[in-house]
């Protein structure tokens, strides 16, 4: 892995650690206030990571349009990531759940652990899994990007699974811990997906941009002979 790509990975790992720790410390002992609820600084950071990943997908598609390669999945992936960013930033599916579905008791019979109306994000996850083979095919040539994609998918799946559990089955203190950890895992998933996209973009640029030619060294003693 090249220096810039390695630096990107290190920076994102550091960011994953510092953001939750910093937000928790800023509101201690009410550590969950800026992490667990919706529309907090934590969800803002998550939405920024998804926006960067989404825009990066369109840049990858633009590069592939020039150099050739599978590119149809990248605009679709970018649009999906931007939609997730909007959902994170404005709590769209939570508004639909709390405003329309939950009051009417709309639920999925074969998902008994899911609270009424809380199945929307599971549907989004299913769509992502359907598109995953195409995304994998687009990044597997880049080992670093493929690894970041696997990490992102695993962390996102864990976050969705934990988030789907009915919060009414937890005590208040346990729910705060559970929701805070779920948001930390979700942030890690978003940063990993962002890493996968940016690593793929950097890999393409590194492979296809013209390399700068080293400047020829002046012949030894040339200055003396000219004198």
């Amino acid at each position: 892995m090249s220096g810039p790509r390695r630096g990107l990975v290190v920076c994102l790992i550091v960011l994953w650690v510092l953001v939750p720790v910093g937000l928790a410390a800023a509101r201690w002992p009410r550590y969950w206030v800026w992490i667990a609820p919706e529309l907090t600084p934590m969800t803002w950071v998550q939405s920024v990571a998804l926006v960067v990943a989404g825009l990066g997908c369109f840049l990858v598609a633009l590069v592939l349009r020039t150099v050739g390669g599978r590119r149809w999945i990248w605009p679709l992936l970018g649009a999906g990531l931007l939609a997730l960013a909007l959902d994170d930033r404005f709590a769209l599916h939570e508004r639909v759940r709390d405003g329309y579905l939950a009051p009417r008791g709309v639920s999925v019979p074969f998902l008994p652990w899911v609270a009424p109306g809380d199945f929307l994000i599971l549907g989004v996850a299913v769509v992502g899994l359907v598109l995953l083979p195409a995304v994998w095919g687009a990044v597997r040539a880049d080992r670093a990007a493929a690894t970041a994609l696997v990490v992102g998918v695993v962390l996102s799946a864990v976050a969705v699974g934990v988030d789907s559990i009915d919060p009414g089955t937890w005590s208040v203190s346990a729910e705060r811990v559970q929701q805070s950890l779920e948001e930390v895992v979700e942030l890690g998933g978003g940063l990993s997906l962002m890493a996968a996209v940016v690593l793929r973009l950097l890999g393409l640029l590194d492979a296809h941009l013209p390399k700068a030619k080293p400047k020829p060294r002046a012949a030894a003693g040339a200055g003396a002979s000219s004198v």
Side-chain angles (χ1 to χ4, degrees), residues 172-226:
V172 174
S173 59
E175 182 186 354
R176 288 168 179 168
V177 174
Q178 177 256 347
Q179 289 294 322
S180 298
L181 292 177
E182 182 265 322
E183 292 296 334
V184 173
V185 173
E186 184 178 338
L187 175 62
L191 291 174
S192 297
L193 294 176
M194 181 181 118
V197 174
V198 178
L199 286 171
R200 185 63 181 136
L201 176 62
L202 292 176
L204 288 170
L205 293 177
D206 186 57
H208 296 284
L209 283 179
K211 303 294 189 297
K213 296 182 179 179
K215 294 181 179 180
R217 294 182 179 179
S225 61
S226 62

Side-chain angles (χ1 to χ4, degrees), residues 77-221:
L77 179 61
L81 291 171
L82 292 178
L84 288 175
L86 285 174
D87 180 68
D88 257 349
R89 183 65 186 88
F90 299 107
L92 299 182
H93 85 269
E94 288 86 358
R95 296 177 189 275
V96 173
R97 176 196 65 197
D98 297 337
Y100 300 97
L101 300 178
R104 294 167 174 79
V106 180
S107 60
V108 180
F110 55 85
L111 299 176
W113 69 89
V114 179
D118 220 6
F119 54 84
L120 293 175
I121 199 65
L122 289 174
V124 174
V126 170
V127 173
L129 290 175
V130 170
L131 295 175
L132 183 58
V135 178
W136 175 255
V139 303
R140 64 183 178 184
D142 188 319
R143 188 172 181 178
T147 302
L149 175 65
V150 171
V151 173
V153 169
V154 171
L155 291 177
S156 299
V158 171
V160 169
V162 172
D163 188 55
S164 69
I165 300 174
D166 186 353
T169 61
W170 300 75
S171 66
V172 174
S173 59
E175 182 186 354
R176 288 168 179 168
V177 174
Q178 177 256 347
Q179 289 294 322
S180 298
L181 292 177
E182 182 265 322
E183 292 296 334
V184 173
V185 173
E186 184 178 338
L187 175 62
L191 291 174
S192 297
L193 294 176
M194 181 181 118
V197 174
V198 178
L199 286 171
R200 185 63 181 136
L201 176 62
L202 292 176
L204 288 170
L205 293 177
D206 186 57
H208 296 284
L209 283 179
K211 303 294 189 297
K213 296 182 179 179
K215 294 181 179 180
R217 294 182 179 179

